[in-house]
């Protein structure tokens, strides 16, 4: 079928190509002329304006928006709307907050548009391995997009599904990322403990490779970790600095709002915050307290 | 080759059978006559005493001990030793503390025996999927056991390796289990958050299945979780009670001894402890403190 | 000076009395006729409508609102406003979210009213020991209320202060409560560890009393804990159920929004959530996972 | 009464002086000649050998050992013993592990000596404010030392007590320090959050002072924190590096051994470990994993 794709970066660009290879017509837009050219070169239709994108698609249209969460999504929808008509579908495949998706669905539905939120996982590997997609929205609207999902997924009947009403897709993706934080932190702590056990001189690369087969902790993340360690066994040159892109903190907020105790997901987020605290004030407070009550020496910077 | 197997339970029994199927001769012992009979019926050699076990093996022997960690291992070795001779190898394939393994290696080596510690992962699925084995011990001794490891592993060159000197195998397995705790807790928290989001009426079974393909959190543990949810989507009838078998707390102790901060593995253990605290005293303390300073009502039991 | 007091419960009623004893004129309102009568009986002016409350005060007025956070504050202000005049001051002494206080200050200032947010600590003991007050608002408005603060505080020059612009008072009080959560949890854990050490048969009441004098952990919370243990050394009859009244979770949200890692305050909140989770789903997930991969027995309910 | 004091540092020296001022005879030893001279100058009896120390005391003797935990305690006892006689008492007032105290008590009792373990809190302020003492040992032996405890404590009947058999004193002191870790961390996190809220420009020194009077979080630790902030409001020049002296990690180990969940005390320890991890490997692992699965940029060092 036909699909508009807005945002041709690591995710959108790869998805467009996976769709094209399966015979879909993709019309893509990006602010980067290079990205548009690359799409054209690959055999899809790259355009340089949202108006052109809409014009190159036949109604009822489906447009996949793959831009940063927040205002860019609202702005993209606002700019597209004047060119679109009732029955057209907006798909938000990015990492939007599910509350925004609920709001957008409500507003767009009242204007006669469809809106589907797709939590998309798979990263840069999705182009070959397929994407896991958690989808929220009205059943009939989701159903109309079935050919797209069947192509983007690892297999037509695997790795995707409508998980609930509007917002449910991004909610489930949010939790997915929260779990991801916890798993990553668990692996990273384990490898740190092994690295610190210097008398045993453990080879982290070897161990990650052993664990990939038959162990209880085998996973795709472990596969990637093994790859990373092969390339840089000591992780030299990397800074101990870990960004977070929002879903983790939303998961923590949501857990608290729901009165669900989720200590490990929460602590995984907190450790990322900690990685970005220079000259940690909390620790300096502790240091000065110890000095006050016990006369313990402080370390001066 | 020939192998003695002591302990024919879920792990030892399955391993014996996997070895037999590949043409190895297994002589097995268990305190349970049923387990011994079952081994015989399968075509291996089941015996009813440790002496018989040793006699049925040709020197230099290799005997795999698959019994509960702690005293049972020491007792098994002590009982076996009188029948064995220099050059014979003891293999501890259970979940022993690595410090015990270092001690046993040292003592046995001085008496002319070999000792190898094998951290074995894979659970009840190992018989078909193979076992992940992290091996500690002297290089030549490990090398002599290569045919065994190549058979037990998922593939001859996958999922096993000598990771260091004596103790290293159990050390790495200990950390493996610590990571496992963290991963399990991360998944469990995520599913709890989704379950609590009642307005979205999320189907946990469906979501676990979607995530198995293409998502960042795909893993073998997730495959099993999806299976479990298919069988019992609401986990009705299960008590919220989680044992721990030792490796998790050892990992926590070790991390602290090494001055490595490992909050997620640690918290995963703590939550297991919490699951077993009835009428939690800490919470009752909090309740009474709130009443004292703020006059907040306490909930009476 | 004159002060209106709205809400004559544990906090408001006690504050009114402390003010009266120091010679201030307090006009008080509460939905409870009993509370109003009690105020009258004590010698202050109890009234049965907000209109009467305003009429009994001379302009420029100062009215202290001591009602539950959230809508009740907005509703109280909305009902009062028609009777009040420019230059009158609203004081929110409750546990409002500081963002609400910023919003209220902004709106009321534009209408010519003063607004001051007072984070008030001290609980039911404040009537005799005085209240700690963290105050946000315009300097001149706060200054006009000085006689009130000097009376309510433990001493005229102790335990109170303007800590910043509107909202700052409730922000600091919010953090105060976050710290309180952490301290309470630390004590409660420590006492739980001692209680569990049964071979030593430790007397928690005695220990709490010893620690009150000379120890590093002495505090007012410990004084109260010692009192509570004297009354009920085993905490029998209390349920392990700990509510939270909002400031704790706001502190956690704020820390994350500010990218400050605050694991102990956060975990203290999480443990309160945990205390209210019956038939914990996370733990049941763990139990079923253990069964799946390792064949470990589950505990049935 | 008479008391020998071994170790005349911050703790032992101050205790000797507090005892002397109350009329006790103190004979003190330290490896530092300066410390011995200082004791002599103050009017007590400083000696330069353990033999002299014993000789200057009349049997039955009581000797307070105030040296670093571990081997120094065993060595001190071993060196003293030849000069002492049955009925003499050893007092370990340091931060020994309670298991060591149980062992020492057992061994010394069999030789006819008394042994008392005294968990001593109060830091450098004890000389004027008195020490909180949690005492373990045989009742009659503790009773013989009553004059010493009544003097060292803040008041004769306050701040000290026999809390149980040998080891109980150090056990309770261990937990005391665990609680102390949690309280310190709670305060430090709270101040960090306030510091980070830059639009409010909060004055941490002022707030710590306000909280000292009437607030729920008032405590001696807060008094000291307020002092520290007065001296250095921004904590400039301090390194974010926090040592731990052992009792915290013992508390964590003990909680786990007792199957008591103590997340806040545990996390407080973990954060101290974290403060000493340069170029954190766990965070570098996370960074490289994010790059692997999502192509997220890593920060290079």
């Amino acid at each position: 079928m036909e699909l508009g794709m807005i945002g041709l970066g690591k995710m959108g660009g790869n998805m467009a190509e996976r769709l094209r290879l399966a015979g879909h017509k993709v019309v893509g837009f990006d602010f980067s002329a290079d990205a548009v050219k690359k799409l054209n070169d690959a055999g899809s239709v790259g355009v340089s304006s949202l108006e052109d994108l809409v014009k190159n698609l036949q109604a009822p249209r489906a447009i996949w928006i793959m831009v940063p969460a927040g205002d860019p999504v609202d702005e993209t929808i606002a700019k597209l709307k004047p060119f679109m008509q009732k029955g057209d579908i907006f798909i938000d495949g990015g990492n939007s907050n599910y509350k925004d998706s609920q709001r957008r669905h409500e507003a767009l539905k009242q204007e006669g548009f469809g809106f589907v939120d797709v939590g998309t996982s798979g990263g840069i590997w999705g182009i070959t391995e397929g994407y896991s997609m958690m989808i929220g929205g009205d059943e009939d609207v989701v159903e109309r997009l079935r050919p797209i999902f069947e192509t983007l997924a690892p297999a037509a009947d695997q790795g995707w599904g409508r998980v609930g009403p509007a917002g449910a897709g991004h909610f489930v993706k949010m939790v997915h990322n929260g779990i991801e934080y916890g798993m990553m932190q668990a692996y990273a702590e384990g490898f740190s403990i092994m690295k610190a056990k210097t008398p045993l001189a453990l080879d982290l690369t070897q161990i990650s490779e052993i664990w990939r087969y038959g162990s209880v902790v085998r996973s795709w993340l472990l596969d990637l970790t093994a790859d990373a360690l092969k390339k840089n066994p000591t992780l030299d040159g990397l800074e101990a600095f870990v960004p977070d892109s929002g879903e983790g903190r939303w998961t923590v907020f949501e857990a608290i709002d729901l009165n669900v105790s989720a200590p490990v997901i929460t602590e995984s987020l907190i450790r990322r915050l900690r990685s970005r605290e220079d000259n940690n004030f909390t620790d300096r407070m502790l240091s000065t307290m110890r000095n006050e009550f016990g006369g313990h020496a402080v370390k001066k910077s």
Side-chain angles (χ1 to χ4, degrees), chain A residues 22-277:
Chain A
H24 299 285
K25 174 186 173 187
V26 180
V27 183
F29 167 81
D30 198 288
F31 288 115
S32 152
D34 281 354
V36 172
K37 180 174 186 307
K38 193 176 159 200
L39 187 75
N40 265 315
D41 292 349
S44 289
V45 182
V47 297
S48 53
S49 77
L50 293 181
E51 185 172 1
D52 281 351
L53 183 134
V54 177
K55 285 189 179 160
N56 273 280
L57 295 165
Q58 285 190 306
R61 300 174 186 86
I63 300 186
W64 189 292
I65 300 168
M66 209 64 183
V67 304
D71 293 342
V73 176
D74 284 320
E75 289 162 11
T76 302
I77 291 173
K79 286 182 193 160
L80 280 171
K81 259 197 315 190
F83 310 118
M84 293 174 71
Q85 59 197 77
K86 291 193 180 191
D88 286 355
I89 304 173
F90 294 85
I91 305 156
D92 181 2
N95 277 323
S96 294
N97 189 301
Y98 79 95
K99 294 176 186 173
D100 287 331
S101 298
Q102 290 177 325
R103 169 178 59 76
R104 287 168 189 146
H105 170 265
E106 186 62 26
L108 288 168
K109 188 168 188 173
Q110 290 192 0
E111 302 181 68
F113 297 109
F115 177 87
V116 169
D117 51 292
V118 182
T120 312
S121 180
I124 54 178
W125 301 82
I127 188 169
T128 49
E129 307 210 3
Y131 299 90
S132 181
M133 287 168 293
M134 310 132 225
I135 304 166
D138 300 339
E139 283 188 54
D140 58 326
V141 180
V142 173
E143 200 52 39
R144 276 173 49 200
L145 302 170
R146 173 177 286 273
I148 298 298
F149 296 133
E150 290 185 346
T151 298
L152 288 175
D157 60 349
Q158 281 184 337
W160 73 279
R162 177 185 175 272
V163 296
H170 281 144
F171 186 91
V172 173
K173 177 54 168 35
M174 173 193 80
V175 174
H176 166 281
N177 282 29
I179 293 172
E180 176 190 303
Y181 278 40
M183 292 173 67
M184 289 171 69
Q185 179 73 23
Y187 282 121
E189 292 178 7
F191 280 99
S192 290
I193 294 167
M194 293 192 292
K195 179 171 184 295
K197 191 68 173 180
T198 47
L200 295 181
L202 299 169
D203 177 341
L204 304 189
T205 308
Q206 178 207 18
I207 291 165
S208 65
E209 189 64 25
I210 289 174
W211 285 351
R212 292 182 62 201
Y213 304 97
S215 88
V216 173
V217 302
R218 64 191 190 259
S219 74
W220 187 62
L221 268 172
L222 181 65
D223 295 343
L224 298 180
T225 304
D227 281 348
L229 286 168
K230 257 168 232 148
K231 287 181 271 186
N232 184 359
T234 56
L235 304 186
D236 280 355
L238 288 181
E239 200 162 315
F241 182 96
V242 194
D244 75 278
S245 49
E247 301 87 359
R249 45 185 81 202
W250 295 337
T251 308
V252 170
F253 294 159
E254 192 68 32
I256 294 172
D257 283 341
L258 292 168
N259 290 310
V260 171
S261 66
V264 154
I265 291 177
T266 304
E267 179 67 23
S268 299
L269 171 69
I270 288 176
R271 279 296 293 250
R272 293 196 179 191
L273 303 183
R274 177 64 185 83
S275 81
R276 300 176 331 236
E277 291 177 314

